Amino acid sequence: MTGTGAPTGEEDGAVVQRGSLDLTLRRLTRDRAAMVALAVIVLVVAMAIFAPVFASLTGHSPITQFRDTGLSPMGIPVGPNAEFWLGADQLGRDVLVRLAYGARVSLLVGVLAACCASAIAVIVGTTAGFFGGWVDLALSRLIDLVMSVPFLLCALALVSVLGPSLMLSVSVIVFFSWAAMARVIRGQVISLSRQEFVQASRSLGAGPLSIMVVDILPNLTVPIIVYTTMMIPSAIVFEATLSFLGMGIVPPTPSWGGMLADASSNSLYLVAWWMVFFPGTALLMTTLAFNIFGDSLRDALDPKSLRTARRLKRDRKGAAK
Amino acid sequence: MTRFILQRLAFGAVVLLVLSSFVFFLFFVAPGDPARMIAGDKATEAQLQQIRTNLGVDRPMIEQYATFIGRAVQGDLGYSYRNRQPVAEIIVRRIPATLSLVIGAVVLWLAIGIPIGLMSARHPGSLRDRLGQAFILVGLSFPTFVLGMMSLYLLYFLPKQAGFTLFPAGGYKAFSRDPLIWAWHLALPWTTLALTMAAFYARLTRGQMLDVMGEDYIRTARAKGLSERKVVWKHGMRAALTPLVTQLGADIALLLGGAIVIEQVYGLQGVGALAVQAVNNQDRPIIIGVVLLGGLFIVTANIVVDLFYVLLDPRIR
Amino acid sequence: MPILQVDGLTVEIPTEDGTVHAVRDVSFSIRQGELFGIAGESGSGKSVLTQAILGLLPTAEISGKVLFDGRDLIGLPQDELRRLRGKDIGMIFQDPLSSLHPFYTIGAQIAEVLHTHETISRQDARARVVEMLGKVGIPDAASRYDDYPHQFSGGMRQRVMIAMALIMRPALLIADEPTTALDVTVQEQIVALIDEMRREFGTTVILITHDLGLLASVADDVMVMYAGHRMEYGPAANLFRAPAHPYTAGLLRSSPANYSPGADLQPITGRPPSLLELRNACVFAPRCAEALPACASATPPLRVFDDKTQSLCWLPDGARRQPATEPAARVHAAAAATVAAPVVEARDVRLTYTIGSFLGHKRQHEVLKGIDLTVHRGETVGLVGESGCGKSTLARVIAGLAPATGGTVSLLGRDLTSLDRAEWRQMRREVQLVFQDPFGSLNPRRRVGSIIGDPFRLHGVAAGDARKDKVRQLMELVGLNPEHYNRFPSEFSGGQRQRIGIARALALNPSLIICDEPVSALDVSIQAQVLNLLRGLQRDLGLTYLFISHDLSVVRHVCNRIAVMQGGKIVELADSETLFAHPQHPYTRTLLAAGKTPPQMTGERVRNLMPTTEVGP
């Protein structure tokens, strides 16, 4: 109601809209931290895509053991040298090549799990929030239930019975990470449903599906994008943790968590620091990049979230009477 | 009020029931013969049959489950496949290590996380805020085990190579024997766990505080002439930190059920390490026991948190 | 000596979008014991002004001179300002619920002021708080000391705030929209209480409000602000009787309370300027009906008149003073309506909610207790009542959005409960709603064209270019530029958004349009534009309205008949003029008495321009 957002080009018929996407990109590209983070993410993706190139460049396949060149006569892995750029592991495998192939696993699991989990969260959250009543009660209790489960313990139990595999890792991660986001989405949907524009659609005779798709979902794009981005790093860490505990990716397939587990067993990393330094750094940098990027994305998509929310609140208060 | 507690208790019981049946049936359909695990490869078919009868695993599934639940409510969780000791006893022996780890870490992470979050929120956009946010982002991104391995390398191995012992590599020493030794051995695990959790709590505190400091009642507090310290510490904190209780309860419970990664990295013989060993050994009664214990902690914590909330927020009364 | 003297105060607030020039060169002085009114619409800078001088806006850049009791507050260290706050200057705010801390008892919150500013024992503090609570009219004060804010009603909470602001007996009380969040009848009590306290303690009061009627009834001196500028300043009586500034005159004219039967309101056209840019011109010029060429090119001079009013305006003689509205021939729709067919008939409508979960005992909450109401074609029926009286619930029942638990509602002769799914959907075409909140009633993620086109989409009426044409026609009909078809709601102002909402409601030619507080979120000058639009559309298209409002004066302006609701019942239903002239029910009388209307402008000029050197820079 104040003079904000004055229309530009009142008389001009073909008003050039600066779309919200354009604005978001502008804000994002101006954010240096976000650009660095994006560069790291691109680097990791490139590493994953070009993993075979590393293999052919060094002549080492990720699972071949070079016990004669990769291990010292006493069986200690060799450090970074001309042949093993980032050193070798306890079985004489090339750390660099395994790192590149490991990026595939981390990204695949991270992105896949985050997308699946957020899809489930959106479906459950919108259904619960929109329909309310018994549906909401049941789904909310389901969310509570999943959140009341000691997830790492259950994941261990599951894996111990069904045997570790990539698909199982993804399913376990999805199963235990959708609930928190579903709760957030549900809250958002409930407050959206109380908005007058939803009532307006309802009074026009719009069906529930139409209201959900046309009125509610477009208003959820920001939280969905932000939460999914933020879920990727936690899924990557989750997978690495499972692999670290020997419950994730089946050896000898390389994964960062598994490489760290190899380094940790028999405290080998105390003498072969490269076994922990490179996969550890890769893991940390990847999750950090995704976290920073997610944060910046949220700021860019919703720059005044706090301020706008407060202004709206105050206006509504004034409007109440 | 009573109704509220009863509702929460009923839900807690449902959670535990679902959890126990999940784990129980999971193991029931799982491949692998427990009798074979106990007796080894050389056992005869008759011996195996004998063991199966003793374990009761040849009876129908539902019957087994009913027996299991009936015993579980009396605190009898069966016997380990490995050493035939009562599961409850084995778990109880592991609790002190986990409890020590969690208590110290909680104190530490609150002491680190909340001040950083507050500092960050007090002057949004300032250098201190950006430092706080950097701490939050790095802390959130650090996988616990990477941080653990790093601190072991830097604070245990390097000093040891240089010829002195700064910190032990891990292991648990009972508090009752020597509190100082106890704390010395736990210092690294505490810090490792606390740092990753502190980042999370700093973020939570920061967000809450930013929200609260924009509220009308903060403006009122200032209009009353209260000192800025009182506005922040009394009026701001009370409202900002109350929601943290929920998170704290859930986190403590989750960790008490087994701080798996930390215990694994530092070789602490706690509940989490027990779970990993049991999984590796396919010792199913212990796995079931540990999962149930973890669920029990979480359910209890939820109820305690709800009761706390009633005390803290007068609007709910 | 004046207790507060402000000279050339300027407040600038840096934001992400640029510097907001919230207050520009404002001066005034307040005598001891006076009630000083600051009037202005949202964005006029009236709240920023007082908060800035008290140091409550830490990011604001302030310049000028503010003498309080002879001491300049500008540049005073935060710590000394803080000691003034609460002790010498008390404040109360708009929303008493959010202004009180939810986690502390009201007693503790008030006693905190005492403990901050003086050394006092707990018992003494408690005794003084209880005494003060009694003074502000909290019954049974001693036992309510330990209650929390949520346990009080809105009016009682504002009394608590007043007690908190006055406990130190401050010399100055700043009341920032103290009644805006309250019901009309409670508003009156709170204003009376502030006035009473002022007399008892000799406190000087600054009353900030958008409600001109309220100021006219209590204020001694008044300052009118617009876009950060002091437009007019002077004794309330002179200023309201014969405003010197066209803006003040325009505000009074556009207020529905200043009403003569049948005539259109005279709104101020356009919308307030952006505060981000500074122009070397009168800020009001683009909306001013009497603008001179100079207005757009130079800063207006200060005109000082001999009756102590001052005006920031190029007009040498002040604003034109014509009667508020020109009496026009009243369109006697009411007479015709009684013979017209009923659109809606509600018979003994009841609605009862059952509260309580499946485990607990159930409680019944009766919202509507037997409502009889008929709306005829072509008329406007007003539904008036305070919050919680059930008027919005009744609207939802009549709209068919909530089923009644008793009685019947028939729309165009068909009982709403007898409809099947398809018929109900068809019936959606016949009833449309216009909502209160100009921010919440339009989906922020959709373009205006698709929002207005929604009714066509949902009922499959027109598609493609045909739909687009219809939408453009509708936009034109409600006074929007059809070229703005592709814009998002956030690019429109509050008044324009209400127009969008009205266009959407008109799309399917409904038999009934239910307006649920359509103007209560808008500023007075914008309100008049929307009210005129609604009336004009009714005249041209023969629409039928059910008009819900808490504000009797708004309802009087647009309605043929008015139903007054209280506690889920209609207590009085009569022709508008009859209701105003001869209210029957005591509650109607209370409502009428509580509404403060600004005095009519008399039109006689009573002042002369003073010779002055004070011409604008």
Side-chain angles (χ1 to χ4, degrees):
Chain A
M1 263 178 292
T2 51
T4 50
T8 47
E10 197 74 52
E11 63 295 317
D12 191 356
V15 182
V16 181
Q17 291 279 331
R18 186 176 287 175
S20 54
L21 182 73
D22 190 23
L23 276 175
T24 306
L25 285 179
R26 258 162 208 274
R27 284 192 214 102
L28 210 54
T29 43
R30 233 180 282 143
D31 190 338
R32 220 180 317 145
M35 287 300 102
V36 173
L38 190 65
V40 172
I41 294 172
V42 170
L43 208 71
V44 174
V45 172
M47 199 159 93
I49 293 175
F50 297 115
V53 177
F54 287 101
S56 62
L57 227 62
T58 55
H60 299 154
S61 106
I63 51 171
T64 321
Q65 307 176 358
F66 301 93
R67 285 174 182 273
D68 38 352
T69 50
L71 297 179
S72 74
M74 287 146 71
I76 305 289
V78 299
N81 58 23
E83 191 187 351
F84 295 92
W85 298 353
L86 299 184
D89 71 1
Q90 83 284 2
L91 296 176
R93 295 174 296 194
D94 192 321
V95 170
L96 172 66
V97 177
R98 286 179 69 75
L99 203 62
Y101 277 91
R104 293 184 157 192
V105 170
S106 284
L107 286 179
L108 179 71
V109 172
V111 173
L112 194 65
C115 289
C116 293
S118 97
I120 296 177
V122 169
I123 293 171
V124 174
T126 38
T127 314
F130 186 73
F131 289 103
W134 279 102
V135 180
D136 182 27
L137 197 71
L139 289 177
S140 295
R141 283 285 169 257
L142 181 69
I143 293 173
D144 286 349
L145 187 81
V146 171
M147 290 185 86
S148 302
V149 165
F151 57 86
L152 203 50
L153 283 175
C154 282
L156 287 185
L158 257 173
V159 175
S160 79
V161 167
L162 303 177
S165 75
L166 184 72
M167 264 353 269
L168 186 64
S169 295
V170 173
S171 328
V172 163
I173 296 170
V174 168
F175 184 77
F176 290 112
S177 42
W178 63 270
M181 179 173 167
R183 192 175 272 180
V184 174
I185 297 283
R186 170 183 170 269
Q188 297 257 348
V189 171
I190 287 180
S191 72
L192 281 172
S193 306
R194 291 205 191 106
Q195 296 260 333
E196 285 178 342
F197 67 80
V198 173
Q199 286 187 39
S201 287
R202 195 170 283 158
S203 82
L204 280 169
L209 197 69
S210 156
I211 291 180
M212 267 217 238
V213 174
V214 175
D215 291 319
I216 290 183
L217 269 184
N219 285 292
L220 291 176
T221 42
V222 172
I224 290 175
I225 291 175
V226 170
Y227 268 84
T228 311
T229 317
M230 302 277 208
M231 224 153 22
I232 293 176
S234 18
I236 291 178
V237 170
F238 202 148
E239 185 276 323
T241 307
L242 282 178
S243 293
F244 177 75
L245 295 172
M247 304 292 158
I249 308 306
V250 203
T253 309
S255 78
W256 293 347
M259 292 169 77
L260 287 164
D262 292 342
S264 157
S265 65
N266 303 323
S267 298
L268 202 60
Y269 68 96
L270 295 181
V271 290
W273 56 268
W274 55 91
M275 283 180 67
V276 71
F277 180 77
F278 294 114
T281 309
L283 186 55
L284 178 61
M285 285 301 138
T286 310
T287 49
L288 189 59
F290 272 109
N291 272 327
I292 291 176
F293 189 70
D295 247 25
S296 307
L297 198 62
R298 184 192 52 207
D299 291 347
L301 283 168
D302 207 1
K304 298 169 190 169
S305 55
L306 225 80
R307 252 177 34 195
T308 340
R310 207 164 290 138
R311 201 196 67 226
L312 284 179
K313 204 170 91 191
R314 200 148 289 158
D315 279 346
R316 206 155 299 138
K317 263 179 228 155
K321 269 293 100 49
Chain B
M1 196 60 223
T2 352
R3 205 183 88 222
F4 173 73
I5 296 176
L6 282 177
Q7 265 180 350
R8 302 304 297 172
L9 283 175
F11 180 66
V14 172
V15 171
L16 289 179
L17 209 65
V18 171
L19 201 58
S20 63
S21 52
F22 162 73
V23 195
F24 196 86
F25 293 119
L26 185 70
F27 285 124
F28 195 89
V29 297
D33 184 355
R36 176 71 70 188
M37 271 179 243
I38 292 169
D41 292 337
K42 281 167 277 181
T44 62
E45 189 52 37
Q47 283 170 320
L48 289 178
Q49 196 50 49
Q50 181 59 38
I51 295 170
R52 284 191 198 111
T53 317
N54 287 348
L55 289 175
V57 291
D58 52 350
R59 284 177 293 151
M61 186 170 73
I62 298 295
E63 199 186 317
Q64 285 185 49
Y65 182 61
T67 321
F68 168 74
I69 291 293
R71 286 188 186 152
V73 290
Q74 296 164 20
D76 177 6
L77 293 168
Y79 295 87
S80 159
Y81 285 171
R82 281 279 142 175
N83 53 14
R84 310 301 300 151
Q85 286 178 351
V87 169
E89 255 176 50
I90 297 177
I91 294 179
V92 166
R93 249 183 280 140
R94 298 296 194 107
I95 287 183
T98 301
L99 193 66
S100 307
L101 172 65
V102 173
I103 288 177
V106 166
V107 174
L108 211 54
W109 89 52
L110 291 179
I112 299 171
I114 292 179
I116 288 182
L118 287 178
M119 181 192 80
S120 202
R122 282 295 297 123
H123 306 281
S126 68
L127 179 69
R128 274 186 286 177
D129 180 27
R130 270 178 288 163
L131 285 177
Q133 294 224 57
F135 170 80
I136 291 172
L137 280 170
V138 173
L140 282 179
S141 307
F142 244 116
T144 325
F145 58 93
V146 175
L147 188 62
M149 289 163 82
M150 242 179 67
S151 54
L152 268 180
Y153 189 80
L154 295 177
L155 297 173
Y156 156 73
F157 181 69
L158 288 186
K160 206 179 138 207
Q161 272 198 324
F164 63 98
T165 314
L166 193 59
F167 285 105
Y172 174 71
K173 298 281 179 281
F175 178 79
S176 50
R177 226 179 290 158
D178 184 348
L180 274 178
I181 297 283
W182 169 79
W184 188 52
H185 275 80
L186 280 167
L188 283 186
W190 278 342
T191 332
T192 307
L193 184 54
L195 278 178
T196 45
M197 296 302 286
F200 187 66
Y201 276 74
R203 167 180 270 195
L204 220 60
T205 308
R206 179 173 183 273
Q208 282 292 328
M209 201 64 188
L210 279 177
D211 277 352
V212 167
M213 290 311 281
E215 290 285 347
D216 287 350
Y217 53 78
I218 295 296
R219 183 181 58 183
T220 308
R222 293 211 173 101
K224 288 201 284 194
L226 300 190
S227 63
E228 195 58 23
R229 227 185 46 227
K230 219 161 186 190
V231 171
V232 173
W233 289 91
K234 186 176 170 192
H235 290 249
M237 289 261 278
R238 172 75 192 270
L241 295 190
T242 304
L244 252 66
V245 172
T246 314
Q247 192 61 43
L248 188 62
D251 284 336
I252 292 178
L254 201 61
L255 288 172
L256 280 180
I260 299 174
V261 177
I262 292 282
E263 290 175 16
Q264 193 70 6
V265 170
Y266 287 103
L268 291 173
Q269 292 304 305
V271 183
L274 176 68
V276 176
Q277 288 153 16
V279 166
N280 288 334
N281 294 339
Q282 289 287 313
D283 199 343
R284 291 173 187 180
I286 290 190
I287 300 178
I288 297 180
V290 173
V291 170
L292 272 189
L293 181 79
L296 185 68
F297 279 136
I298 292 177
V299 164
T300 316
N302 282 345
I303 296 172
V304 172
V305 162
D306 284 339
L307 292 180
F308 248 102
Y309 229 88
V310 171
L311 286 180
L312 288 174
D313 190 343
R315 287 171 296 185
I316 303 183
R317 262 169 235 167
Chain C
M1 191 178 75
I3 185 160
L4 185 73
Q5 178 150 9
V6 175
D7 273 317
L9 182 72
T10 295
V11 181
E12 304 194 326
I13 303 171
T15 68
E16 275 174 40
D17 304 324
T19 304
V20 172
H21 304 279
V23 179
R24 297 290 300 170
D25 192 20
V26 168
S27 309
F28 56 91
S29 77
I30 304 175
R31 295 180 309 276
Q32 168 79 40
E34 182 184 5
L35 197 153
F36 185 79
I38 303 181
E41 300 179 289
S42 48
S44 64
K46 57 189 193 301
S47 299
V48 171
L49 176 99
T50 49
Q51 294 188 18
I53 59 179
L54 287 181
L56 290 178
L57 296 175
T59 56
E61 289 158 19
I62 311 164
S63 60
K65 206 176 200 183
V66 178
L67 291 177
F68 174 71
D69 244 356
R71 212 151 48 122
D72 193 352
L73 300 187
I74 307 290
L76 215 58
Q78 256 303 327
D79 206 45
E80 286 188 42
L81 267 181
R82 176 181 74 68
R83 248 171 267 145
L84 279 177
R85 295 198 296 258
K87 182 158 172 277
D88 299 307
I89 303 176
M91 286 194 90
I92 48 180
F93 301 103
Q94 177 175 330
D95 184 346
L97 179 58
S98 64
S99 294
L100 288 165
H101 202 296
F103 292 175
Y104 295 107
T105 64
I106 56 133
Q109 291 188 55
I110 300 175
E112 200 180 13
V113 187
L114 288 174
H115 291 298
T116 305
H117 295 288
E118 57 187 74
T119 318
I120 185 172
S121 74
R122 286 181 157 277
Q123 288 81 8
D124 290 350
R126 188 181 178 106
R128 269 175 64 187
V129 170
V130 170
E131 188 203 340
M132 192 70 211
L133 284 175
K135 277 215 170 83
V136 297
I138 305 273
D140 202 9
S143 68
R144 301 224 65 182
Y145 183 96
D146 293 314
D147 281 350
Y148 291 90
H150 70 273
Q151 292 164 305
F152 290 83
S153 70
M156 285 294 151
R157 280 183 211 130
Q158 198 58 293
R159 283 171 195 269
V160 170
M161 282 296 290
I162 293 174
M164 188 189 294
L166 292 180
I167 188 89
M168 292 298 297
R169 308 281 154 92
L172 179 65
L173 173 70
I174 298 175
D176 191 349
E177 300 267 11
T179 59
T180 312
L182 304 173
D183 275 330
V184 201
T185 47
V186 184
Q187 275 182 14
E188 198 198 12
Q189 296 164 11
I190 294 296
V191 171
L193 176 67
I194 291 175
D195 208 32
E196 188 191 321
M197 293 291 119
R198 161 168 86 116
R199 284 170 214 290
E200 187 172 344
F201 302 137
T203 317
T204 311
V205 178
I206 298 181
L207 183 61
I208 302 168
T209 180
H210 69 280
D211 187 344
L212 295 178
L214 176 69
L215 283 186
S217 66
V218 292
D220 298 314
D221 280 358
V222 172
M223 170 166 85
V224 178
M225 290 186 68
Y226 177 77
H229 293 253
R230 189 193 78 177
M231 304 309 266
E232 188 166 1
Y233 172 51
N238 301 351
L239 190 144
F240 284 116
R241 195 175 59 246
H245 199 285
Y247 174 63
T248 319
L251 271 188
L252 288 169
R253 262 183 231 120
S254 57
S255 159
N258 238 321
Y259 158 86
S260 63
D264 266 355
L265 294 167
Q266 297 186 352
I268 303 174
T269 52
R271 51 194 282 195
S274 161
L275 296 174
L276 291 174
E277 46 199 289
L278 276 178
R279 266 198 233 104
N280 199 19
C282 175
V283 279
F284 185 60
R287 303 177 72 190
C288 186
E290 300 173 54
L292 304 168
C295 296
S297 58
T299 317
L302 185 71
R303 307 276 184 195
V304 184
F305 298 95
D306 59 358
D307 65 345
K308 290 182 184 157
T309 50
Q310 303 180 6
S311 156
L312 194 69
C313 186
W314 276 108
L315 297 174
D317 304 325
R320 182 160 34 97
R321 290 178 206 96
Q322 66 198 83
T325 47
E326 290 159 22
R330 181 163 173 81
V331 190
H332 271 283
T338 41
V339 290
V343 176
V344 164
E345 276 185 287
R347 289 283 158 266
D348 194 32
V349 168
R350 287 164 191 283
L351 186 71
T352 310
Y353 287 120
T354 306
I355 311 167
S357 65
F358 59 106
L359 263 176
H361 53 97
K362 289 183 163 62
R363 272 184 301 130
Q364 304 271 311
H365 181 58
E366 202 174 19
V367 186
L368 300 176
K369 303 168 181 168
I371 301 274
D372 291 302
L373 184 69
T374 308
V375 182
H376 300 279
R377 188 171 293 283
E379 73 168 341
T380 303
V381 173
L383 208 51
V384 185
E386 296 182 295
S387 54
C389 72
K391 56 187 191 297
S392 290
T393 312
L394 178 60
R396 288 176 55 78
V397 171
I398 290 177
L401 293 175
T405 45
T408 57
V409 177
S410 48
L411 187 68
L412 301 171
R414 310 246 353 230
D415 189 342
L416 281 180
T417 49
S418 71
L419 301 176
D420 63 28
R421 186 82 206 139
E423 287 172 319
W424 183 84
R425 223 178 105 81
Q426 206 54 33
M427 205 50 111
R428 300 282 88 232
R429 291 161 158 251
E430 302 298 338
V431 193
Q432 290 299 313
L433 287 124
V434 175
F435 295 92
Q436 167 184 347
D437 184 354
F439 290 90
S441 58
L442 306 175
N443 190 338
R445 294 264 162 193
R446 304 189 63 210
R447 292 174 194 277
V448 167
S450 10
I451 292 178
I452 301 178
D454 252 357
F456 301 128
R457 176 179 63 88
L458 290 165
H459 289 274
V461 173
D465 283 345
R467 187 192 294 171
K468 204 167 171 178
D469 282 345
K470 285 198 164 196
V471 170
R472 283 165 187 269
Q473 280 167 23
L474 282 170
M475 290 181 74
E476 208 144 359
L477 192 62
V478 298
L480 292 168
N481 184 350
E483 303 297 336
H484 296 168
Y485 186 90
N486 266 330
R487 295 192 172 182
F488 285 99
S490 59
E491 296 169 74
F492 293 87
S493 68
Q496 287 175 317
R497 289 178 204 211
Q498 284 307 65
R499 287 173 193 266
I500 298 169
I502 293 168
R504 173 175 57 188
L506 287 175
L508 295 171
N509 288 325
S511 307
L512 176 69
I513 295 182
I514 300 179
C515 304
D516 192 353
E517 303 259 12
V519 296
S520 56
L522 304 175
D523 277 324
V524 185
S525 64
I526 309 292
Q527 259 188 26
Q529 296 174 4
V530 174
L531 288 177
N532 279 347
L533 173 69
L534 284 170
R535 278 179 57 129
L537 290 171
Q538 180 170 45
R539 219 164 24 225
D540 299 343
L541 306 174
L543 301 174
T544 310
Y545 292 133
L546 180 61
F547 196 101
I548 299 168
S549 178
H550 67 279
D551 187 344
L552 266 174
S553 61
V554 167
V555 174
R556 180 189 191 184
H557 178 71
V558 290
C559 295
N560 307 108
R561 294 189 298 146
I562 296 174
V564 179
M565 277 188 80
Q566 184 192 21
K569 281 188 212 142
I570 291 179
V571 295
E572 187 165 358
L573 174 64
D575 281 358
S576 307
E577 294 315 311
T578 321
L579 190 97
F580 271 78
H582 313 287
Q584 299 299 312
H585 195 272
Y587 181 68
T588 315
R589 279 187 223 131
T590 319
L591 275 185
L592 282 175
K596 297 265 190 291
T597 56
Q600 294 273 331
M601 288 182 277
T602 53
E604 285 309 307
R605 192 197 306 173
V606 291
R607 60 170 78 107
N608 295 300
L609 187 63
M610 299 271 283
T612 172
T613 51
E614 228 184 307
V615 173

